[in-house]
PDB file of all heavy atoms in Angstrom:
ATOM      1  N   LYS A   3      24.326 -21.975 -16.987  1.00  0.00           N
ATOM      2  CA  LYS A   3      23.266 -21.468 -16.130  1.00  0.00           C
ATOM      3  C   LYS A   3      23.495 -20.005 -15.812  1.00  0.00           C
ATOM      4  O   LYS A   3      22.582 -19.188 -15.781  1.00  0.00           O
ATOM      5  CB  LYS A   3      23.192 -22.296 -14.848  1.00  0.00           C
ATOM      6  CG  LYS A   3      22.055 -21.892 -13.927  1.00  0.00           C
ATOM      7  CD  LYS A   3      21.996 -22.804 -12.720  1.00  0.00           C
ATOM      8  CE  LYS A   3      20.846 -22.402 -11.807  1.00  0.00           C
ATOM      9  NZ  LYS A   3      20.795 -23.270 -10.604  1.00  0.00           N
ATOM     10  N   LYS A  14      15.271  -8.106 -18.787  1.00  0.00           N
ATOM     11  CA  LYS A  14      14.390  -7.359 -17.880  1.00  0.00           C
ATOM     12  C   LYS A  14      14.746  -5.875 -17.882  1.00  0.00           C
ATOM     13  O   LYS A  14      13.875  -5.014 -17.913  1.00  0.00           O
ATOM     14  CB  LYS A  14      14.503  -7.931 -16.464  1.00  0.00           C
ATOM     15  CG  LYS A  14      13.465  -7.401 -15.505  1.00  0.00           C
ATOM     16  CD  LYS A  14      13.513  -8.169 -14.204  1.00  0.00           C
ATOM     17  CE  LYS A  14      12.409  -7.696 -13.267  1.00  0.00           C
ATOM     18  NZ  LYS A  14      12.411  -8.435 -12.000  1.00  0.00           N
ATOM     19  N   PHE A  16      16.238  -4.285 -20.353  1.00  0.00           N
ATOM     20  CA  PHE A  16      15.858  -3.767 -21.662  1.00  0.00           C
ATOM     21  C   PHE A  16      14.370  -3.439 -21.718  1.00  0.00           C
ATOM     22  O   PHE A  16      13.965  -2.383 -22.211  1.00  0.00           O
ATOM     23  CB  PHE A  16      16.216  -4.786 -22.743  1.00  0.00           C
ATOM     24  CG  PHE A  16      15.755  -4.386 -24.125  1.00  0.00           C
ATOM     25  CD1 PHE A  16      16.422  -3.393 -24.828  1.00  0.00           C
ATOM     26  CD2 PHE A  16      14.651  -4.999 -24.696  1.00  0.00           C
ATOM     27  CE1 PHE A  16      16.000  -3.023 -26.094  1.00  0.00           C
ATOM     28  CE2 PHE A  16      14.220  -4.628 -25.958  1.00  0.00           C
ATOM     29  CZ  PHE A  16      14.899  -3.641 -26.657  1.00  0.00           C
ATOM     30  N   MET A  21       9.854   0.473 -21.672  1.00  0.00           N
ATOM     31  CA  MET A  21       8.622   0.991 -21.089  1.00  0.00           C
ATOM     32  C   MET A  21       8.785   2.438 -20.668  1.00  0.00           C
ATOM     33  O   MET A  21       7.877   3.254 -20.815  1.00  0.00           O
ATOM     34  CB  MET A  21       8.200   0.132 -19.894  1.00  0.00           C
ATOM     35  CG  MET A  21       7.596  -1.206 -20.289  1.00  0.00           C
ATOM     36  SD  MET A  21       6.920  -2.103 -18.886  1.00  0.00           S
ATOM     37  CE  MET A  21       8.402  -2.600 -18.061  1.00  0.00           C
ATOM     38  N   LEU A  22       9.970   2.771 -20.152  1.00  0.00           N
ATOM     39  CA  LEU A  22      10.217   4.148 -19.758  1.00  0.00           C
ATOM     40  C   LEU A  22      10.182   5.078 -20.969  1.00  0.00           C
ATOM     41  O   LEU A  22       9.635   6.181 -20.911  1.00  0.00           O
ATOM     42  CB  LEU A  22      11.585   4.252 -19.065  1.00  0.00           C
ATOM     43  CG  LEU A  22      11.662   3.689 -17.653  1.00  0.00           C
ATOM     44  CD1 LEU A  22      13.107   3.653 -17.183  1.00  0.00           C
ATOM     45  CD2 LEU A  22      10.832   4.521 -16.697  1.00  0.00           C
ATOM     46  N   SER A  28       4.142   9.361 -24.154  1.00  0.00           N
ATOM     47  CA  SER A  28       2.682   9.413 -24.097  1.00  0.00           C
ATOM     48  C   SER A  28       2.244  10.797 -23.647  1.00  0.00           C
ATOM     49  O   SER A  28       2.974  11.760 -23.775  1.00  0.00           O
ATOM     50  CB  SER A  28       2.153   8.328 -23.156  1.00  0.00           C
ATOM     51  OG  SER A  28       2.644   8.543 -21.859  1.00  0.00           O
ATOM     52  N   LYS A  48       3.000   8.928   7.419  1.00  0.00           N
ATOM     53  CA  LYS A  48       1.695   9.151   8.023  1.00  0.00           C
ATOM     54  C   LYS A  48       0.803   9.726   6.950  1.00  0.00           C
ATOM     55  O   LYS A  48       1.237  10.577   6.163  1.00  0.00           O
ATOM     56  CB  LYS A  48       1.786  10.115   9.201  1.00  0.00           C
ATOM     57  CG  LYS A  48       0.437  10.409   9.863  1.00  0.00           C
ATOM     58  CD  LYS A  48       0.584  11.408  11.021  1.00  0.00           C
ATOM     59  CE  LYS A  48      -0.760  11.687  11.666  1.00  0.00           C
ATOM     60  NZ  LYS A  48      -0.645  12.671  12.785  1.00  0.00           N
ATOM     61  N   ILE A  56     -15.256  -2.970  -1.567  1.00  0.00           N
ATOM     62  CA  ILE A  56     -16.283  -3.269  -2.564  1.00  0.00           C
ATOM     63  C   ILE A  56     -16.573  -4.771  -2.582  1.00  0.00           C
ATOM     64  O   ILE A  56     -15.665  -5.588  -2.768  1.00  0.00           O
ATOM     65  CB  ILE A  56     -15.826  -2.811  -3.962  1.00  0.00           C
ATOM     66  CG1 ILE A  56     -15.440  -1.326  -3.927  1.00  0.00           C
ATOM     67  CG2 ILE A  56     -16.923  -3.061  -5.001  1.00  0.00           C
ATOM     68  CD1 ILE A  56     -14.687  -0.861  -5.140  1.00  0.00           C
ATOM     69  N   GLN A  68      -3.355   6.526   8.767  1.00  0.00           N
ATOM     70  CA  GLN A  68      -2.368   5.456   8.868  1.00  0.00           C
ATOM     71  C   GLN A  68      -1.028   6.014   9.331  1.00  0.00           C
ATOM     72  O   GLN A  68      -0.609   7.086   8.906  1.00  0.00           O
ATOM     73  CB  GLN A  68      -2.124   4.784   7.518  1.00  0.00           C
ATOM     74  CG  GLN A  68      -3.243   3.967   6.947  1.00  0.00           C
ATOM     75  CD  GLN A  68      -2.823   3.325   5.618  1.00  0.00           C
ATOM     76  OE1 GLN A  68      -1.650   3.347   5.246  1.00  0.00           O
ATOM     77  NE2 GLN A  68      -3.785   2.777   4.905  1.00  0.00           N
ATOM     78  N   ILE A  89      -9.224   1.668  16.781  1.00  0.00           N
ATOM     79  CA  ILE A  89      -7.813   1.703  16.420  1.00  0.00           C
ATOM     80  C   ILE A  89      -7.338   0.266  16.258  1.00  0.00           C
ATOM     81  O   ILE A  89      -7.565  -0.571  17.131  1.00  0.00           O
ATOM     82  CB  ILE A  89      -6.968   2.408  17.499  1.00  0.00           C
ATOM     83  CG1 ILE A  89      -7.432   3.857  17.692  1.00  0.00           C
ATOM     84  CG2 ILE A  89      -5.482   2.381  17.115  1.00  0.00           C
ATOM     85  CD1 ILE A  89      -6.755   4.545  18.869  1.00  0.00           C
ATOM     86  N   ASN A 130       5.588  -6.406  -2.117  1.00  0.00           N
ATOM     87  CA  ASN A 130       5.038  -7.216  -3.211  1.00  0.00           C
ATOM     88  C   ASN A 130       5.603  -6.787  -4.554  1.00  0.00           C
ATOM     89  O   ASN A 130       5.853  -7.625  -5.434  1.00  0.00           O
ATOM     90  CB  ASN A 130       3.508  -7.105  -3.235  1.00  0.00           C
ATOM     91  CG  ASN A 130       2.863  -7.688  -1.991  1.00  0.00           C
ATOM     92  OD1 ASN A 130       3.458  -8.504  -1.298  1.00  0.00           O
ATOM     93  ND2 ASN A 130       1.652  -7.270  -1.707  1.00  0.00           N
ATOM     94  N   TYR A 131       5.809  -5.479  -4.727  1.00  0.00           N
ATOM     95  CA  TYR A 131       6.309  -4.960  -5.999  1.00  0.00           C
ATOM     96  C   TYR A 131       7.734  -5.453  -6.267  1.00  0.00           C
ATOM     97  O   TYR A 131       8.070  -5.841  -7.382  1.00  0.00           O
ATOM     98  CB  TYR A 131       6.270  -3.434  -5.981  1.00  0.00           C
ATOM     99  CG  TYR A 131       6.734  -2.808  -7.270  1.00  0.00           C
ATOM    100  CD1 TYR A 131       5.920  -2.810  -8.407  1.00  0.00           C
ATOM    101  CD2 TYR A 131       7.990  -2.210  -7.366  1.00  0.00           C
ATOM    102  CE1 TYR A 131       6.344  -2.244  -9.595  1.00  0.00           C
ATOM    103  CE2 TYR A 131       8.420  -1.644  -8.551  1.00  0.00           C
ATOM    104  CZ  TYR A 131       7.595  -1.657  -9.655  1.00  0.00           C
ATOM    105  OH  TYR A 131       8.028  -1.097 -10.834  1.00  0.00           O
ATOM    106  N   THR A 150       2.557   8.339 -11.939  1.00  0.00           N
ATOM    107  CA  THR A 150       3.178   7.088 -12.345  1.00  0.00           C
ATOM    108  C   THR A 150       2.440   5.963 -11.629  1.00  0.00           C
ATOM    109  O   THR A 150       2.189   6.052 -10.424  1.00  0.00           O
ATOM    110  CB  THR A 150       4.671   7.067 -11.958  1.00  0.00           C
ATOM    111  OG1 THR A 150       5.358   8.065 -12.726  1.00  0.00           O
ATOM    112  CG2 THR A 150       5.292   5.712 -12.233  1.00  0.00           C
ATOM    113  N   ILE A 156      -0.085  -9.804  -5.708  1.00  0.00           N
ATOM    114  CA  ILE A 156      -0.205 -10.115  -4.281  1.00  0.00           C
ATOM    115  C   ILE A 156       0.016 -11.618  -4.095  1.00  0.00           C
ATOM    116  O   ILE A 156      -0.671 -12.425  -4.731  1.00  0.00           O
ATOM    117  CB  ILE A 156      -1.579  -9.708  -3.734  1.00  0.00           C
ATOM    118  CG1 ILE A 156      -1.784  -8.196  -3.906  1.00  0.00           C
ATOM    119  CG2 ILE A 156      -1.724 -10.099  -2.265  1.00  0.00           C
ATOM    120  CD1 ILE A 156      -3.155  -7.704  -3.502  1.00  0.00           C
ATOM    121  N   PRO A 157       0.971 -12.019  -3.276  1.00  0.00           N
ATOM    122  CA  PRO A 157       1.237 -13.452  -3.103  1.00  0.00           C
ATOM    123  C   PRO A 157       0.065 -14.180  -2.451  1.00  0.00           C
ATOM    124  O   PRO A 157      -0.734 -13.580  -1.734  1.00  0.00           O
ATOM    125  CB  PRO A 157       2.485 -13.471  -2.211  1.00  0.00           C
ATOM    126  CG  PRO A 157       2.472 -12.150  -1.504  1.00  0.00           C
ATOM    127  CD  PRO A 157       1.856 -11.181  -2.461  1.00  0.00           C
ATOM    128  N   ASP A 159      -3.152 -17.306  -2.819  1.00  0.00           N
ATOM    129  CA  ASP A 159      -4.204 -17.721  -3.746  1.00  0.00           C
ATOM    130  C   ASP A 159      -5.560 -17.130  -3.385  1.00  0.00           C
ATOM    131  O   ASP A 159      -6.594 -17.733  -3.654  1.00  0.00           O
ATOM    132  CB  ASP A 159      -4.303 -19.258  -3.768  1.00  0.00           C
ATOM    133  CG  ASP A 159      -3.024 -19.906  -4.263  1.00  0.00           C
ATOM    134  OD1 ASP A 159      -2.429 -19.358  -5.213  1.00  0.00           O
ATOM    135  OD2 ASP A 159      -2.621 -20.937  -3.700  1.00  0.00           O
ATOM    136  N   TRP A 169      -0.791   4.523  -7.404  1.00  0.00           N
ATOM    137  CA  TRP A 169      -0.631   5.769  -8.144  1.00  0.00           C
ATOM    138  C   TRP A 169       0.248   6.709  -7.321  1.00  0.00           C
ATOM    139  O   TRP A 169      -0.019   6.959  -6.140  1.00  0.00           O
ATOM    140  CB  TRP A 169      -1.980   6.439  -8.369  1.00  0.00           C
ATOM    141  CG  TRP A 169      -2.792   5.919  -9.512  1.00  0.00           C
ATOM    142  CD1 TRP A 169      -3.012   6.535 -10.707  1.00  0.00           C
ATOM    143  CD2 TRP A 169      -3.536   4.688  -9.565  1.00  0.00           C
ATOM    144  NE1 TRP A 169      -3.833   5.761 -11.505  1.00  0.00           N
ATOM    145  CE2 TRP A 169      -4.170   4.621 -10.836  1.00  0.00           C
ATOM    146  CE3 TRP A 169      -3.715   3.621  -8.678  1.00  0.00           C
ATOM    147  CZ2 TRP A 169      -4.968   3.549 -11.212  1.00  0.00           C
ATOM    148  CZ3 TRP A 169      -4.500   2.544  -9.056  1.00  0.00           C
ATOM    149  CH2 TRP A 169      -5.121   2.515 -10.312  1.00  0.00           C
ATOM    150  N   ASN A 172       3.453  12.561  -9.839  1.00  0.00           N
ATOM    151  CA  ASN A 172       4.769  12.855 -10.403  1.00  0.00           C
ATOM    152  C   ASN A 172       5.374  14.145  -9.868  1.00  0.00           C
ATOM    153  O   ASN A 172       6.597  14.288  -9.834  1.00  0.00           O
ATOM    154  CB  ASN A 172       4.677  12.954 -11.934  1.00  0.00           C
ATOM    155  CG  ASN A 172       4.617  11.590 -12.596  1.00  0.00           C
ATOM    156  OD1 ASN A 172       4.589  10.564 -11.922  1.00  0.00           O
ATOM    157  ND2 ASN A 172       4.584  11.577 -13.910  1.00  0.00           N
ATOM    158  N   ARG A 190     -11.610  -4.196  -5.580  1.00  0.00           N
ATOM    159  CA  ARG A 190     -12.151  -4.702  -4.308  1.00  0.00           C
ATOM    160  C   ARG A 190     -11.867  -3.766  -3.146  1.00  0.00           C
ATOM    161  O   ARG A 190     -12.670  -3.626  -2.236  1.00  0.00           O
ATOM    162  CB  ARG A 190     -11.569  -6.094  -4.015  1.00  0.00           C
ATOM    163  CG  ARG A 190     -12.100  -7.189  -4.925  1.00  0.00           C
ATOM    164  CD  ARG A 190     -13.596  -7.379  -4.723  1.00  0.00           C
ATOM    165  NE  ARG A 190     -14.157  -8.426  -5.574  1.00  0.00           N
ATOM    166  CZ  ARG A 190     -15.412  -8.829  -5.533  1.00  0.00           C
ATOM    167  NH1 ARG A 190     -16.255  -8.256  -4.691  1.00  0.00           N
ATOM    168  NH2 ARG A 190     -15.846  -9.771  -6.345  1.00  0.00           N
ATOM    169  N   ILE A 191     -10.701  -3.126  -3.163  1.00  0.00           N
ATOM    170  CA  ILE A 191     -10.358  -2.157  -2.121  1.00  0.00           C
ATOM    171  C   ILE A 191      -9.719  -0.952  -2.799  1.00  0.00           C
ATOM    172  O   ILE A 191      -8.807  -1.103  -3.617  1.00  0.00           O
ATOM    173  CB  ILE A 191      -9.378  -2.742  -1.080  1.00  0.00           C
ATOM    174  CG1 ILE A 191      -9.938  -4.016  -0.448  1.00  0.00           C
ATOM    175  CG2 ILE A 191      -9.087  -1.703   0.008  1.00  0.00           C
ATOM    176  CD1 ILE A 191      -8.967  -4.709   0.485  1.00  0.00           C
ATOM    177  N   PHE A 198      -0.132  13.334   2.939  1.00  0.00           N
ATOM    178  CA  PHE A 198       0.919  12.327   3.095  1.00  0.00           C
ATOM    179  C   PHE A 198       2.187  12.975   3.649  1.00  0.00           C
ATOM    180  O   PHE A 198       2.658  13.993   3.148  1.00  0.00           O
ATOM    181  CB  PHE A 198       1.215  11.675   1.743  1.00  0.00           C
ATOM    182  CG  PHE A 198       2.093  10.463   1.842  1.00  0.00           C
ATOM    183  CD1 PHE A 198       1.547   9.209   2.021  1.00  0.00           C
ATOM    184  CD2 PHE A 198       3.476  10.575   1.753  1.00  0.00           C
ATOM    185  CE1 PHE A 198       2.355   8.075   2.110  1.00  0.00           C
ATOM    186  CE2 PHE A 198       4.297   9.466   1.842  1.00  0.00           C
ATOM    187  CZ  PHE A 198       3.733   8.213   2.022  1.00  0.00           C
ATOM    188  N   ILE A 204       8.489   8.639  14.183  1.00  0.00           N
ATOM    189  CA  ILE A 204       7.709   7.691  14.988  1.00  0.00           C
ATOM    190  C   ILE A 204       8.523   7.276  16.203  1.00  0.00           C
ATOM    191  O   ILE A 204       9.708   6.968  16.096  1.00  0.00           O
ATOM    192  CB  ILE A 204       7.357   6.430  14.165  1.00  0.00           C
ATOM    193  CG1 ILE A 204       6.460   6.806  12.988  1.00  0.00           C
ATOM    194  CG2 ILE A 204       6.669   5.381  15.028  1.00  0.00           C
ATOM    195  CD1 ILE A 204       6.140   5.631  12.081  1.00  0.00           C
ATOM    196  N   ASN A 207       6.026   4.776  21.489  1.00  0.00           N
ATOM    197  CA  ASN A 207       4.710   5.005  22.086  1.00  0.00           C
ATOM    198  C   ASN A 207       3.588   4.989  21.045  1.00  0.00           C
ATOM    199  O   ASN A 207       2.427   4.787  21.382  1.00  0.00           O
ATOM    200  CB  ASN A 207       4.692   6.351  22.826  1.00  0.00           C
ATOM    201  CG  ASN A 207       5.540   6.315  24.088  1.00  0.00           C
ATOM    202  OD1 ASN A 207       5.658   5.270  24.733  1.00  0.00           O
ATOM    203  ND2 ASN A 207       6.136   7.442  24.433  1.00  0.00           N
TER     204      ASN A 207
END
Side-chain angles (χ1 to χ4, degrees):
K3 184 177 181 181
K14 190 171 184 179
F16 175 75
M21 285 187 288
L22 286 171
S28 61
K48 179 181 180 181
I56 305 167
Q68 291 182 10
I89 300 173
N130 295 339
Y131 182 75
T150 294
I156 300 175
D159 298 320
W169 279 253
N172 282 3
R190 289 296 180 176
I191 304 175
F198 191 89
I204 297 176
N207 290 328

